[in-house]
Amino acid sequence: MSDEPRLALLVSDGERAQEAADEVIRDLADWVPLEEADIAVILGGDGFMLQSLHAMLDSGRVIPAYGVNLGTVGFLMNRNRQPEKLLQRIGKAKRLDILPIAMEATAQDGEVHKFRAINEVSLLRETRQTAKIEVQVDGKTRIKELVCDGVLVATPAGSTAYNLSADGPILPLDSQLLALTPISAFRPRRWKGAILPDRSCVNFKVNEPGKRPVSAVADQREMRDVAEVRLEIAREHPLTLLFDPGHSLDERIVAEQFVF
């Protein structure tokens, strides 16, 4: 019986990813369906990687993922090089475990939705009116009324995405921290955000929700007209990414802080 891992191939709709799959990669292995695989090989960009990881979370069967960047940024992916040596690269890859955020959002009508976010959860104003949001950490109100365009909580893996664009801090992957970052805050004027232990539970309560409606977005999933959002790390749902030696996400996070 072979000890070789069974591989599933997931390819984005992008032209580059489809061409790479057809030219070389489909012929490299006896690919199996995702539900039978030990490792998922993902061709595309960061968005497709997030989509694939969420699909695994939703299915209840999560396996390690090795990404090949055939998109734009590719922060969660490996470089697209030596495709003919893909199987050897997977065999030498290093594992990196990341933990998603569990979001429980209550709508203004009382309906409750639960999502998970690998990068971040963001609350965003829906109209031209600024949002007014109460910020609680571990049951204690830290900001009674944050007047802003929005606010987000990012994981270390997501700290270089929307969080960085909003002037939030870059977090090392092994830091066990979360970034709490305001988006265009008007009051308190000088508050730039906070760094929290990842054991923290963060609650957002929307003030004047009828006049100032707010949506909650967990990665790519949006819920509109929320009244309250509760966030905490989903430790029961770890995800594993595979990276080539010397090209890990840790290194990319360090390198990102020296780009001018």
Side-chain angles (χ1 to χ4, degrees):
M1 183 175 181
S2 175
D3 292 330
E4 292 294 321
R6 295 168 298 173
L7 305 177
L9 181 63
L10 306 180
V11 185
S12 80
D13 292 334
E15 184 177 347
R16 289 178 62 208
Q18 290 290 329
E19 288 178 355
D22 290 338
E23 289 174 2
V24 180
I25 294 176
R26 291 196 202 276
D27 296 330
L28 291 178
D30 294 325
W31 305 100
V32 301
L34 184 63
E35 58 270 19
E36 299 175 12
D38 303 308
I39 294 174
V41 178
I42 298 173
L43 308 188
D46 288 337
F48 187 63
M49 172 63 86
L50 288 175
Q51 178 183 326
S52 301
L53 293 174
H54 276 292
M56 285 193 275
L57 282 171
D58 291 344
S59 73
R61 186 171 185 271
V62 178
I63 60 176
Y66 181 94
V68 178
N69 184 27
L70 289 155
T72 305
V73 179
F75 200 80
L76 299 174
M77 318 295 280
N78 294 283
R79 294 177 184 173
N80 178 31
R81 58 186 177 87
Q82 298 180 300
E84 69 281 0
K85 296 185 178 180
L86 178 64
L87 300 187
Q88 294 95 309
R89 290 168 60 190
I90 293 172
K92 296 177 181 178
K94 306 297 182 183
R95 298 170 62 96
L96 174 68
D97 291 333
I98 60 175
L99 294 171
I101 297 172
M103 178 184 88
E104 181 177 290
T106 304
Q108 293 180 34
D109 61 7
E111 188 174 358
V112 177
H113 291 268
K114 296 182 180 181
F115 297 126
R116 282 163 291 197
I118 298 163
N119 274 358
E120 78 280 316
V121 171
S122 53
L123 272 68
L124 304 167
R125 65 184 175 95
E126 295 179 10
T127 68
R128 62 182 179 82
Q129 295 275 11
T130 56
K132 292 185 176 181
I133 300 170
E134 180 180 339
V135 180
Q136 298 179 351
V137 179
D138 294 328
K140 183 174 182 179
T141 298
R142 295 295 181 178
I143 299 178
K144 186 64 177 175
E145 189 165 84
L146 175 64
V147 183
C148 56
D149 281 353
V151 63
L152 65 84
V153 173
T155 66
S159 67
T160 55
Y162 191 8
N163 173 69
L164 182 60
S165 299
D167 292 327
I170 294 176
L171 303 175
L173 286 171
D174 59 357
S175 63
Q176 297 183 320
L177 298 172
L178 296 171
L180 172 58
T181 302
I183 303 169
S184 300
F186 180 66
R187 289 196 181 93
R189 284 188 186 275
R190 297 187 180 181
W191 187 63
K192 300 299 182 183
I195 297 174
L196 306 173
D198 71 358
R199 63 180 180 275
S200 301
C201 177
V202 179
N203 263 53
F204 297 119
K205 292 186 177 181
V206 179
N207 297 339
E208 302 178 37
K211 180 181 179 182
R212 303 171 186 272
V214 169
S215 65
V217 183
D219 287 345
Q220 301 158 335
R221 301 181 180 186
E222 180 182 24
M223 177 178 171
R224 297 180 68 83
D225 301 332
V226 298
E228 185 172 354
V229 175
R230 183 177 186 273
L231 307 174
E232 60 184 343
I233 286 293
R235 299 188 185 279
E236 69 279 15
H237 295 292
L239 297 164
T240 300
L241 301 181
L242 302 176
F243 288 101
D244 295 333
H247 297 283
S248 70
L249 193 51
D250 256 337
E251 166 59 25
R252 297 182 193 194
I253 284 179
V254 172
E256 189 70 28
Q257 298 174 79
F258 294 92
V259 175
F260 300 98

